[in-house]
Amino acid sequence: DIQMTQSPSSLSASVGDRVTITCRASQGISNYLAWFQQKPGKAPKSLIYAASSLQSGVPSKFSGSGSGTDFTLTISSLQPEDFATYYCQQYNSFPFTFGPGTKVDIK
Amino acid sequence: EVQLVESGGGLVQPGGSLRLSCAASGFTFSSYAMSWVRQAPGKGLEWVSAISGSGGSTYYADSVKGRFTISRDNSKNTLYLQMNSLRAEDTAVYYCAKGIRYFAQVSYMDVWGKGTTVTVSS
């Protein structure tokens, strides 16, 4: 199985900050990498697919990059509605696997 | 608007069975792969199972293989997850999610339902 790791596991940031989250796969997954946002008590929401493609309706402050084993999610200017947990997920091969999540909270 | 509505969750004893349903609307259901993903209380996301648009190909996490069965009824636009031999560690919110293509392989999940809660306890 492909293991996904994320760093940091949590971070505190202020409104307006630029935030970067890193995701690493235990083996190459090409660009079959997605990012999801989840708020407490809510279902995950898709943000990015194919490592860098923005899901329809997602604001352009979210961006993704990477290929192979190393990927990043960047939020260009953090807003109050962005405080949430972010998960990466590989869909290169079964079983699909998720990273452990990065919790972004208010400093 | 694409909508997925899960149902069928509840409290069940260890060793028991439960069938989850996911009613889909707003898209041509038979043209897309579907998945189930779960989240144990306070934990991260775990992919459980996926199925192709026709239902002819199915995939499972090792943790549920042999106990859970994914299926779909394209005439009813409904996805199912039959869960047998349930264990305490199966306690979770179960989400259904729509894939972006007919085949489940390399198919990212773009739309998710709100989830249904399964609690396995005596």
Side-chain angles (χ1 to χ4, degrees), chain B:
Chain B
E1 181 196 1
V2 174
Q3 266 202 312
L4 300 171
V5 180
E6 302 93 336
S7 61
L11 174 64
V12 61
Q13 292 188 338
S17 297
L18 212 54
R19 188 177 83 156
L20 306 183
S21 299
C22 171
S25 61
F27 64 102
T28 304
F29 183 66
S30 59
S31 294
Y32 295 93
M34 299 290 294
S35 287
W36 288 98
V37 176
R38 68 184 181 184
Q39 186 169 37
K43 302 297 185 183
L45 300 169
E46 179 188 16
W47 173 82
V48 172
S49 183
I51 188 168
S52 63
S54 67
S57 297
T58 57
Y59 308 86
Y60 297 94
D62 284 346
S63 57
V64 306
K65 201 173 293 183
R67 300 187 300 123
F68 290 12
T69 302
I70 190 171
S71 63
R72 63 193 297 161
D73 185 336
N74 288 342
S75 68
K76 296 182 178 178
N77 290 349
T78 303
L79 175 73
Y80 302 102
L81 186 68
Q82 177 67 44
M83 304 187 295
N84 298 331
S85 303
L86 283 160
R87 306 166 179 166
E89 53 266 35
D90 296 318
T91 294
V93 176
Y94 285 74
Y95 299 100
C96 70
K98 170 188 164 291
I100 61 165
R101 65 183 86 240
Y102 178 87
F103 296 104
Q105 296 97 319
V106 296
S107 182
Y108 129 91
M109 297 171 283
D110 63 345
V111 178
W112 296 54
K114 289 180 165 53
T116 187
T117 300
V118 172
T119 304
V120 184
S121 175
S122 54

